Amino acid sequence: MTSTEKSYSSDILGFGLDGKIQYSSHELLTRFRKHGTAENVFDLFGEYPVLSTAAKDAIEGKAAQCEIKLNDRYFLVEMRRDFPLIKNYDIVALFSDITSIKKKEAALKAKITQLSESNKELEQFAYVTSHDLNEPLRMVSNFAQLLESEYKDKLDEEAKTYFQFVIDGSQRVQYLINDLLMYNRACRAEIKAQKLIGEDIVFLQAYKLREIMEKQNVKLEIESAGKMFGDPKHIGLVFYHLIKNAIQYNNSKPPTIHISIVNRKKHDKIEIRDNGLGIPNEHESTVFEILKRVNTRPDLDGSGVGLAICKKLINLHGGKIWFESELGKGTTFHFTLPKNQEKTVI
């Protein structure tokens, strides 16, 4: 036996162009039932048609590859002429034991299936819970408003204030539930990337926010609004939340939002700059965390979900999002979108 045979003795089968077995290790032969009587590979592979087909292809000069299970072990089998470093036989069949890989694949597949089922159950739970929570909250809010309207002449100012607390509180919880549902959808978003025109995306979101923009006399500036690559629905949602935040956390007269889209070789870089309140340094590490409000002033609405949604959607696109801020002078949010994106499902 040559040194080459010794190094591959447990997983090599050599045979001629007529199919006659030229060499095989005892360990490999014992895995086949007919090993005691087989003189050629077709007798040996009788119960494994896929191996016989691979052997025929190899004899014809084609490289062949297949996977089989021998007893309790899995093998990746490669058959070819002129196998590198092995010149003793006309054709070499290399049996590589991949049992451990197969077991890991099976475990991973089971885990993915379990995770998928868990996600479906979680999604169903979220929708059912939101419905069950929203319904009584609507009743509380509606009846509180009805009572306030019916008995407003009999209520003093303190009682009216209490009613307003009830109404505002129930509505805030409804908004929070809806935002959490939106975040749940963002976590499982399917990205269908395409070329987008920056101005179209920005103007659409500005139109959705037109009421608050007109009320606060917001000045919107768009510079170098080139094209970008992303999912129109989800990138639109990112712009919506960032523009809304720039308006909401802004006491300037007028609030000014400057948006620029810069096309680079490997990615597009988007900046949204405002002249608002700015973000305190102590919130720098928690800005994109869910339910972490940047500003806790009671006169400013917000659930602390919008920026978490932005980060999740940008990450799903394969991009990055970050910010720069100076307290009292404003904030600039930056995010990137890769030029080439593959369909992503979470």
PDB file of all heavy atoms in Angstrom, residues 92-123:
ATOM      1  N   VAL A  92     -11.212   7.577  -9.051  1.00  0.00           N
ATOM      2  CA  VAL A  92     -11.199   7.611  -7.593  1.00  0.00           C
ATOM      3  C   VAL A  92     -12.556   8.094  -7.086  1.00  0.00           C
ATOM      4  O   VAL A  92     -13.100   9.084  -7.583  1.00  0.00           O
ATOM      5  CB  VAL A  92     -10.095   8.555  -7.068  1.00  0.00           C
ATOM      6  CG1 VAL A  92     -10.221   8.744  -5.559  1.00  0.00           C
ATOM      7  CG2 VAL A  92      -8.724   7.989  -7.417  1.00  0.00           C
ATOM      8  N   ALA A  93     -13.085   7.347  -6.108  1.00  0.00           N
ATOM      9  CA  ALA A  93     -14.287   7.781  -5.403  1.00  0.00           C
ATOM     10  C   ALA A  93     -13.869   8.129  -3.979  1.00  0.00           C
ATOM     11  O   ALA A  93     -13.381   7.273  -3.240  1.00  0.00           O
ATOM     12  CB  ALA A  93     -15.337   6.673  -5.393  1.00  0.00           C
ATOM     13  N   LEU A  94     -14.017   9.389  -3.636  1.00  0.00           N
ATOM     14  CA  LEU A  94     -13.626   9.858  -2.311  1.00  0.00           C
ATOM     15  C   LEU A  94     -14.874   9.988  -1.445  1.00  0.00           C
ATOM     16  O   LEU A  94     -15.784  10.765  -1.751  1.00  0.00           O
ATOM     17  CB  LEU A  94     -12.920  11.210  -2.428  1.00  0.00           C
ATOM     18  CG  LEU A  94     -12.438  11.834  -1.118  1.00  0.00           C
ATOM     19  CD1 LEU A  94     -11.392  10.949  -0.455  1.00  0.00           C
ATOM     20  CD2 LEU A  94     -11.885  13.234  -1.371  1.00  0.00           C
ATOM     21  N   PHE A  95     -14.920   9.208  -0.360  1.00  0.00           N
ATOM     22  CA  PHE A  95     -16.046   9.217   0.573  1.00  0.00           C
ATOM     23  C   PHE A  95     -15.677  10.085   1.785  1.00  0.00           C
ATOM     24  O   PHE A  95     -14.808   9.703   2.576  1.00  0.00           O
ATOM     25  CB  PHE A  95     -16.373   7.797   1.038  1.00  0.00           C
ATOM     26  CG  PHE A  95     -17.032   6.948  -0.006  1.00  0.00           C
ATOM     27  CD1 PHE A  95     -16.309   6.485  -1.104  1.00  0.00           C
ATOM     28  CD2 PHE A  95     -18.369   6.601   0.108  1.00  0.00           C
ATOM     29  CE1 PHE A  95     -16.907   5.691  -2.072  1.00  0.00           C
ATOM     30  CE2 PHE A  95     -18.979   5.804  -0.849  1.00  0.00           C
ATOM     31  CZ  PHE A  95     -18.255   5.352  -1.949  1.00  0.00           C
ATOM     32  N   SER A  96     -16.296  11.238   1.918  1.00  0.00           N
ATOM     33  CA  SER A  96     -16.035  12.141   3.048  1.00  0.00           C
ATOM     34  C   SER A  96     -17.190  12.057   4.038  1.00  0.00           C
ATOM     35  O   SER A  96     -18.341  12.290   3.675  1.00  0.00           O
ATOM     36  CB  SER A  96     -15.879  13.584   2.565  1.00  0.00           C
ATOM     37  OG  SER A  96     -14.825  13.686   1.617  1.00  0.00           O
ATOM     38  N   ASP A  97     -16.872  11.705   5.262  1.00  0.00           N
ATOM     39  CA  ASP A  97     -17.893  11.565   6.293  1.00  0.00           C
ATOM     40  C   ASP A  97     -18.411  12.951   6.704  1.00  0.00           C
ATOM     41  O   ASP A  97     -17.658  13.774   7.216  1.00  0.00           O
ATOM     42  CB  ASP A  97     -17.308  10.841   7.511  1.00  0.00           C
ATOM     43  CG  ASP A  97     -18.372  10.401   8.494  1.00  0.00           C
ATOM     44  OD1 ASP A  97     -19.394  11.102   8.626  1.00  0.00           O
ATOM     45  OD2 ASP A  97     -18.187   9.341   9.142  1.00  0.00           O
ATOM     46  N   ILE A  98     -19.683  13.203   6.439  1.00  0.00           N
ATOM     47  CA  ILE A  98     -20.287  14.499   6.773  1.00  0.00           C
ATOM     48  C   ILE A  98     -21.413  14.332   7.789  1.00  0.00           C
ATOM     49  O   ILE A  98     -22.316  15.157   7.878  1.00  0.00           O
ATOM     50  CB  ILE A  98     -20.826  15.192   5.502  1.00  0.00           C
ATOM     51  CG1 ILE A  98     -21.846  14.294   4.789  1.00  0.00           C
ATOM     52  CG2 ILE A  98     -19.693  15.575   4.565  1.00  0.00           C
ATOM     53  CD1 ILE A  98     -22.574  14.998   3.648  1.00  0.00           C
ATOM     54  N   THR A  99     -21.347  13.263   8.575  1.00  0.00           N
ATOM     55  CA  THR A  99     -22.404  12.987   9.543  1.00  0.00           C
ATOM     56  C   THR A  99     -22.593  14.134  10.527  1.00  0.00           C
ATOM     57  O   THR A  99     -23.719  14.548  10.812  1.00  0.00           O
ATOM     58  CB  THR A  99     -22.093  11.693  10.314  1.00  0.00           C
ATOM     59  OG1 THR A  99     -21.905  10.630   9.375  1.00  0.00           O
ATOM     60  CG2 THR A  99     -23.229  11.335  11.253  1.00  0.00           C
ATOM     61  N   SER A 100     -21.484  14.648  11.054  1.00  0.00           N
ATOM     62  CA  SER A 100     -21.594  15.730  12.037  1.00  0.00           C
ATOM     63  C   SER A 100     -22.215  16.973  11.419  1.00  0.00           C
ATOM     64  O   SER A 100     -23.004  17.677  12.056  1.00  0.00           O
ATOM     65  CB  SER A 100     -20.221  16.057  12.615  1.00  0.00           C
ATOM     66  OG  SER A 100     -19.334  16.494  11.606  1.00  0.00           O
ATOM     67  N   ILE A 101     -21.866  17.245  10.139  1.00  0.00           N
ATOM     68  CA  ILE A 101     -22.443  18.397   9.443  1.00  0.00           C
ATOM     69  C   ILE A 101     -23.936  18.203   9.260  1.00  0.00           C
ATOM     70  O   ILE A 101     -24.731  19.121   9.474  1.00  0.00           O
ATOM     71  CB  ILE A 101     -21.757  18.609   8.079  1.00  0.00           C
ATOM     72  CG1 ILE A 101     -20.281  18.950   8.283  1.00  0.00           C
ATOM     73  CG2 ILE A 101     -22.451  19.706   7.283  1.00  0.00           C
ATOM     74  CD1 ILE A 101     -19.491  19.073   6.991  1.00  0.00           C
ATOM     75  N   LYS A 102     -24.336  16.977   8.867  1.00  0.00           N
ATOM     76  CA  LYS A 102     -25.751  16.682   8.661  1.00  0.00           C
ATOM     77  C   LYS A 102     -26.543  16.845   9.957  1.00  0.00           C
ATOM     78  O   LYS A 102     -27.672  17.340   9.967  1.00  0.00           O
ATOM     79  CB  LYS A 102     -25.916  15.266   8.112  1.00  0.00           C
ATOM     80  CG  LYS A 102     -25.629  15.126   6.634  1.00  0.00           C
ATOM     81  CD  LYS A 102     -26.677  15.880   5.833  1.00  0.00           C
ATOM     82  CE  LYS A 102     -26.515  15.659   4.352  1.00  0.00           C
ATOM     83  NZ  LYS A 102     -27.535  16.398   3.570  1.00  0.00           N
ATOM     84  N   LYS A 103     -25.954  16.395  11.047  1.00  0.00           N
ATOM     85  CA  LYS A 103     -26.632  16.515  12.339  1.00  0.00           C
ATOM     86  C   LYS A 103     -26.806  17.985  12.715  1.00  0.00           C
ATOM     87  O   LYS A 103     -27.859  18.389  13.228  1.00  0.00           O
ATOM     88  CB  LYS A 103     -25.842  15.777  13.418  1.00  0.00           C
ATOM     89  CG  LYS A 103     -25.930  14.253  13.304  1.00  0.00           C
ATOM     90  CD  LYS A 103     -25.149  13.569  14.419  1.00  0.00           C
ATOM     91  CE  LYS A 103     -25.290  12.054  14.332  1.00  0.00           C
ATOM     92  NZ  LYS A 103     -24.515  11.371  15.397  1.00  0.00           N
ATOM     93  N   LYS A 104     -25.782  18.782  12.441  1.00  0.00           N
ATOM     94  CA  LYS A 104     -25.877  20.208  12.732  1.00  0.00           C
ATOM     95  C   LYS A 104     -26.922  20.871  11.834  1.00  0.00           C
ATOM     96  O   LYS A 104     -27.672  21.745  12.289  1.00  0.00           O
ATOM     97  CB  LYS A 104     -24.516  20.871  12.545  1.00  0.00           C
ATOM     98  CG  LYS A 104     -23.490  20.476  13.609  1.00  0.00           C
ATOM     99  CD  LYS A 104     -22.151  21.126  13.349  1.00  0.00           C
ATOM    100  CE  LYS A 104     -21.116  20.685  14.395  1.00  0.00           C
ATOM    101  NZ  LYS A 104     -19.775  21.274  14.122  1.00  0.00           N
ATOM    102  N   GLU A 105     -26.958  20.465  10.555  1.00  0.00           N
ATOM    103  CA  GLU A 105     -27.953  21.012   9.636  1.00  0.00           C
ATOM    104  C   GLU A 105     -29.358  20.665  10.098  1.00  0.00           C
ATOM    105  O   GLU A 105     -30.265  21.509  10.055  1.00  0.00           O
ATOM    106  CB  GLU A 105     -27.721  20.472   8.219  1.00  0.00           C
ATOM    107  CG  GLU A 105     -26.520  21.071   7.519  1.00  0.00           C
ATOM    108  CD  GLU A 105     -26.319  20.468   6.131  1.00  0.00           C
ATOM    109  OE1 GLU A 105     -27.023  19.489   5.804  1.00  0.00           O
ATOM    110  OE2 GLU A 105     -25.469  20.973   5.386  1.00  0.00           O
ATOM    111  N   ALA A 106     -29.549  19.416  10.534  1.00  0.00           N
ATOM    112  CA  ALA A 106     -30.868  18.982  11.008  1.00  0.00           C
ATOM    113  C   ALA A 106     -31.266  19.762  12.258  1.00  0.00           C
ATOM    114  O   ALA A 106     -32.433  20.182  12.395  1.00  0.00           O
ATOM    115  CB  ALA A 106     -30.850  17.486  11.296  1.00  0.00           C
ATOM    116  N   ALA A 107     -30.307  19.960  13.156  1.00  0.00           N
ATOM    117  CA  ALA A 107     -30.598  20.708  14.376  1.00  0.00           C
ATOM    118  C   ALA A 107     -30.931  22.167  14.054  1.00  0.00           C
ATOM    119  O   ALA A 107     -31.856  22.753  14.634  1.00  0.00           O
ATOM    120  CB  ALA A 107     -29.405  20.644  15.327  1.00  0.00           C
ATOM    121  N   LEU A 108     -30.185  22.736  13.094  1.00  0.00           N
ATOM    122  CA  LEU A 108     -30.429  24.114  12.687  1.00  0.00           C
ATOM    123  C   LEU A 108     -31.795  24.242  12.019  1.00  0.00           C
ATOM    124  O   LEU A 108     -32.543  25.194  12.281  1.00  0.00           O
ATOM    125  CB  LEU A 108     -29.327  24.586  11.737  1.00  0.00           C
ATOM    126  CG  LEU A 108     -29.438  26.024  11.214  1.00  0.00           C
ATOM    127  CD1 LEU A 108     -29.432  27.020  12.369  1.00  0.00           C
ATOM    128  CD2 LEU A 108     -28.314  26.326  10.235  1.00  0.00           C
ATOM    129  N   LYS A 109     -32.134  23.283  11.149  1.00  0.00           N
ATOM    130  CA  LYS A 109     -33.424  23.295  10.479  1.00  0.00           C
ATOM    131  C   LYS A 109     -34.563  23.200  11.489  1.00  0.00           C
ATOM    132  O   LYS A 109     -35.578  23.906  11.377  1.00  0.00           O
ATOM    133  CB  LYS A 109     -33.506  22.131   9.482  1.00  0.00           C
ATOM    134  CG  LYS A 109     -34.763  22.137   8.631  1.00  0.00           C
ATOM    135  CD  LYS A 109     -34.725  21.013   7.611  1.00  0.00           C
ATOM    136  CE  LYS A 109     -35.989  21.029   6.747  1.00  0.00           C
ATOM    137  NZ  LYS A 109     -35.982  19.937   5.739  1.00  0.00           N
ATOM    138  N   ALA A 110     -34.396  22.335  12.486  1.00  0.00           N
ATOM    139  CA  ALA A 110     -35.415  22.191  13.525  1.00  0.00           C
ATOM    140  C   ALA A 110     -35.553  23.493  14.312  1.00  0.00           C
ATOM    141  O   ALA A 110     -36.664  23.906  14.673  1.00  0.00           O
ATOM    142  CB  ALA A 110     -35.050  21.040  14.461  1.00  0.00           C
ATOM    143  N   LYS A 111     -34.410  24.147  14.568  1.00  0.00           N
ATOM    144  CA  LYS A 111     -34.432  25.406  15.310  1.00  0.00           C
ATOM    145  C   LYS A 111     -35.122  26.498  14.507  1.00  0.00           C
ATOM    146  O   LYS A 111     -35.902  27.294  15.059  1.00  0.00           O
ATOM    147  CB  LYS A 111     -32.999  25.821  15.628  1.00  0.00           C
ATOM    148  CG  LYS A 111     -32.871  26.803  16.779  1.00  0.00           C
ATOM    149  CD  LYS A 111     -33.199  26.143  18.086  1.00  0.00           C
ATOM    150  CE  LYS A 111     -32.989  27.090  19.259  1.00  0.00           C
ATOM    151  NZ  LYS A 111     -33.361  26.480  20.543  1.00  0.00           N
ATOM    152  N   ILE A 112     -34.848  26.534  13.184  1.00  0.00           N
ATOM    153  CA  ILE A 112     -35.480  27.532  12.317  1.00  0.00           C
ATOM    154  C   ILE A 112     -36.982  27.312  12.273  1.00  0.00           C
ATOM    155  O   ILE A 112     -37.774  28.259  12.334  1.00  0.00           O
ATOM    156  CB  ILE A 112     -34.874  27.477  10.901  1.00  0.00           C
ATOM    157  CG1 ILE A 112     -33.422  27.965  10.932  1.00  0.00           C
ATOM    158  CG2 ILE A 112     -35.688  28.304   9.928  1.00  0.00           C
ATOM    159  CD1 ILE A 112     -32.687  27.797   9.626  1.00  0.00           C
ATOM    160  N   THR A 113     -37.387  26.038  12.159  1.00  0.00           N
ATOM    161  CA  THR A 113     -38.817  25.711  12.150  1.00  0.00           C
ATOM    162  C   THR A 113     -39.472  26.135  13.461  1.00  0.00           C
ATOM    163  O   THR A 113     -40.557  26.730  13.472  1.00  0.00           O
ATOM    164  CB  THR A 113     -39.025  24.201  11.933  1.00  0.00           C
ATOM    165  OG1 THR A 113     -38.431  23.821  10.686  1.00  0.00           O
ATOM    166  CG2 THR A 113     -40.496  23.850  11.923  1.00  0.00           C
ATOM    167  N   GLN A 114     -38.785  25.838  14.550  1.00  0.00           N
ATOM    168  CA  GLN A 114     -39.305  26.214  15.865  1.00  0.00           C
ATOM    169  C   GLN A 114     -39.408  27.735  15.995  1.00  0.00           C
ATOM    170  O   GLN A 114     -40.401  28.255  16.520  1.00  0.00           O
ATOM    171  CB  GLN A 114     -38.385  25.657  16.956  1.00  0.00           C
ATOM    172  CG  GLN A 114     -38.861  25.951  18.372  1.00  0.00           C
ATOM    173  CD  GLN A 114     -37.877  25.427  19.422  1.00  0.00           C
ATOM    174  OE1 GLN A 114     -36.801  24.924  19.090  1.00  0.00           O
ATOM    175  NE2 GLN A 114     -38.235  25.545  20.677  1.00  0.00           N
ATOM    176  N   LEU A 115     -38.384  28.443  15.503  1.00  0.00           N
ATOM    177  CA  LEU A 115     -38.383  29.899  15.568  1.00  0.00           C
ATOM    178  C   LEU A 115     -39.490  30.481  14.707  1.00  0.00           C
ATOM    179  O   LEU A 115     -40.159  31.442  15.095  1.00  0.00           O
ATOM    180  CB  LEU A 115     -37.025  30.431  15.114  1.00  0.00           C
ATOM    181  CG  LEU A 115     -36.831  31.944  15.161  1.00  0.00           C
ATOM    182  CD1 LEU A 115     -37.003  32.462  16.581  1.00  0.00           C
ATOM    183  CD2 LEU A 115     -35.464  32.332  14.613  1.00  0.00           C
ATOM    184  N   SER A 116     -39.696  29.882  13.517  1.00  0.00           N
ATOM    185  CA  SER A 116     -40.753  30.344  12.623  1.00  0.00           C
ATOM    186  C   SER A 116     -42.122  30.173  13.258  1.00  0.00           C
ATOM    187  O   SER A 116     -42.969  31.068  13.205  1.00  0.00           O
ATOM    188  CB  SER A 116     -40.681  29.576  11.296  1.00  0.00           C
ATOM    189  OG  SER A 116     -41.720  29.969  10.438  1.00  0.00           O
ATOM    190  N   GLU A 117     -42.339  29.021  13.876  1.00  0.00           N
ATOM    191  CA  GLU A 117     -43.608  28.778  14.554  1.00  0.00           C
ATOM    192  C   GLU A 117     -43.780  29.736  15.723  1.00  0.00           C
ATOM    193  O   GLU A 117     -44.876  30.239  15.974  1.00  0.00           O
ATOM    194  CB  GLU A 117     -43.668  27.325  15.033  1.00  0.00           C
ATOM    195  CG  GLU A 117     -43.760  26.315  13.900  1.00  0.00           C
ATOM    196  CD  GLU A 117     -43.683  24.885  14.387  1.00  0.00           C
ATOM    197  OE1 GLU A 117     -43.453  24.689  15.601  1.00  0.00           O
ATOM    198  OE2 GLU A 117     -43.853  23.964  13.562  1.00  0.00           O
ATOM    199  N   SER A 118     -42.680  29.977  16.437  1.00  0.00           N
ATOM    200  CA  SER A 118     -42.735  30.900  17.571  1.00  0.00           C
ATOM    201  C   SER A 118     -43.067  32.312  17.106  1.00  0.00           C
ATOM    202  O   SER A 118     -43.858  33.025  17.759  1.00  0.00           O
ATOM    203  CB  SER A 118     -41.394  30.892  18.309  1.00  0.00           C
ATOM    204  OG  SER A 118     -41.391  31.822  19.358  1.00  0.00           O
ATOM    205  N   ASN A 119     -42.482  32.727  15.956  1.00  0.00           N
ATOM    206  CA  ASN A 119     -42.766  34.059  15.415  1.00  0.00           C
ATOM    207  C   ASN A 119     -44.224  34.194  15.008  1.00  0.00           C
ATOM    208  O   ASN A 119     -44.847  35.238  15.218  1.00  0.00           O
ATOM    209  CB  ASN A 119     -41.864  34.342  14.214  1.00  0.00           C
ATOM    210  CG  ASN A 119     -40.448  34.695  14.622  1.00  0.00           C
ATOM    211  OD1 ASN A 119     -40.208  35.090  15.754  1.00  0.00           O
ATOM    212  ND2 ASN A 119     -39.501  34.537  13.719  1.00  0.00           N
ATOM    213  N   LYS A 120     -44.773  33.138  14.401  1.00  0.00           N
ATOM    214  CA  LYS A 120     -46.186  33.161  14.009  1.00  0.00           C
ATOM    215  C   LYS A 120     -47.089  33.277  15.233  1.00  0.00           C
ATOM    216  O   LYS A 120     -48.068  34.021  15.239  1.00  0.00           O
ATOM    217  CB  LYS A 120     -46.526  31.897  13.215  1.00  0.00           C
ATOM    218  CG  LYS A 120     -45.923  31.859  11.824  1.00  0.00           C
ATOM    219  CD  LYS A 120     -46.283  30.569  11.106  1.00  0.00           C
ATOM    220  CE  LYS A 120     -45.648  30.529   9.720  1.00  0.00           C
ATOM    221  NZ  LYS A 120     -45.948  29.250   9.009  1.00  0.00           N
ATOM    222  N   GLU A 121     -46.751  32.510  16.265  1.00  0.00           N
ATOM    223  CA  GLU A 121     -47.536  32.575  17.501  1.00  0.00           C
ATOM    224  C   GLU A 121     -47.425  33.955  18.143  1.00  0.00           C
ATOM    225  O   GLU A 121     -48.411  34.498  18.651  1.00  0.00           O
ATOM    226  CB  GLU A 121     -47.053  31.504  18.479  1.00  0.00           C
ATOM    227  CG  GLU A 121     -47.363  30.077  18.032  1.00  0.00           C
ATOM    228  CD  GLU A 121     -46.742  29.039  18.946  1.00  0.00           C
ATOM    229  OE1 GLU A 121     -46.050  29.446  19.911  1.00  0.00           O
ATOM    230  OE2 GLU A 121     -46.943  27.837  18.704  1.00  0.00           O
ATOM    231  N   LEU A 122     -46.215  34.520  18.108  1.00  0.00           N
ATOM    232  CA  LEU A 122     -46.008  35.846  18.684  1.00  0.00           C
ATOM    233  C   LEU A 122     -46.784  36.906  17.917  1.00  0.00           C
ATOM    234  O   LEU A 122     -47.381  37.811  18.515  1.00  0.00           O
ATOM    235  CB  LEU A 122     -44.509  36.180  18.679  1.00  0.00           C
ATOM    236  CG  LEU A 122     -44.109  37.523  19.306  1.00  0.00           C
ATOM    237  CD1 LEU A 122     -44.514  37.569  20.765  1.00  0.00           C
ATOM    238  CD2 LEU A 122     -42.610  37.748  19.165  1.00  0.00           C
ATOM    239  N   GLU A 123     -46.778  36.791  16.572  1.00  0.00           N
ATOM    240  CA  GLU A 123     -47.515  37.741  15.749  1.00  0.00           C
ATOM    241  C   GLU A 123     -49.013  37.648  16.036  1.00  0.00           C
ATOM    242  O   GLU A 123     -49.699  38.663  16.181  1.00  0.00           O
ATOM    243  CB  GLU A 123     -47.240  37.471  14.269  1.00  0.00           C
ATOM    244  CG  GLU A 123     -47.933  38.463  13.343  1.00  0.00           C
ATOM    245  CD  GLU A 123     -47.673  38.159  11.884  1.00  0.00           C
ATOM    246  OE1 GLU A 123     -47.164  37.064  11.590  1.00  0.00           O
ATOM    247  OE2 GLU A 123     -48.000  39.004  11.042  1.00  0.00           O
TER     248      GLU A 123
END
